[in-house]
Amino acid sequence: MRLVGWLVLALVCVVMLLSFYGFVIGSGRKSRKWFSERFSLEMFYTLLIMYSIFIIGFGMIYFILSFQGIILVEDGSLDPVNMIGSLIHSFYFSGVTLMTIGYGDITPVGIGRLVALIEALVGYVLPAAFVMRIVQNNQRDRQE
């Protein structure tokens, strides 16, 4: 079971990295602008999908790590949580961390702290990559 957990963890990480890479690099095709040059509904939907992928991906990482004995501590106590409760806590903590809100009601332990730092960094970098992508698309459209 431990090997399967780590393999799923690696697969989730690869999917997230490929999604982020595809978002930043793009497909090389001309992007359609639906409202104006400054706003692209397609880019907005892409950003929402990217955030969803990362929330679900990191949530799965926390959930898988909970089977490895690395858990999220709620309100400073190690209360036993069933599988559904652990899944809900994992997704909640992932969303709060990615959006860099960080309420502090759930705290990671062990390697989970490093994962939370990486997720918070992604939460900071993703909007910047979104803006960079819009600027690149606008410059490419002006050159063509």
Side-chain angles (χ1 to χ4, degrees), residues 34-140:
W34 291 9
F35 289 129
S36 72
E37 285 187 13
R38 295 184 185 186
F39 184 79
S40 168
L41 193 58
E42 181 181 352
M43 289 298 291
F44 179 72
Y45 286 147
T46 303
L47 183 65
L48 288 179
I49 290 169
M50 289 299 297
Y51 268 112
S52 299
I53 288 171
F54 280 108
I55 288 172
I56 292 168
F58 277 105
M60 291 303 297
I61 290 172
Y62 296 124
F63 184 64
I64 292 166
L65 288 177
S66 71
F67 289 119
Q68 308 298 326
I70 301 165
I71 55 175
L72 299 172
V73 177
E74 183 177 4
D75 296 325
S77 63
L78 291 170
D79 296 331
V81 180
N82 61 12
M83 186 176 287
I84 299 296
S86 178
L87 188 64
I88 291 169
H89 282 92
S90 297
F91 286 134
Y92 166 76
F93 180 74
S94 176
V96 168
T97 303
L98 186 67
M99 302 298 173
T100 63
I101 298 169
Y103 292 122
D105 55 342
I106 297 179
T107 308
V109 176
I111 191 108
R113 290 181 176 188
L114 177 63
V115 174
L117 284 174
I118 293 168
E119 184 177 11
L121 178 65
V122 169
Y124 278 118
V125 171
L126 198 56
F130 173 69
V131 170
M132 179 186 70
R133 187 76 178 141
I134 289 174
V135 169
Q136 287 175 346
N137 285 347
N138 285 341
Q139 287 177 349
R140 188 177 322 122

Side-chain angles (χ1 to χ4, degrees), residues 14-44:
V14 167
V15 168
M16 289 189 310
L17 286 173
L18 290 174
S19 297
F20 185 71
Y21 178 78
F23 175 68
V24 172
I25 300 302
S27 61
R29 63 178 172 78
K30 185 176 178 180
S31 149
R32 282 182 290 201
K33 306 292 183 205
W34 291 9
F35 289 129
S36 72
E37 285 187 13
R38 295 184 185 186
F39 184 79
S40 168
L41 193 58
E42 181 181 352
M43 289 298 291
F44 179 72

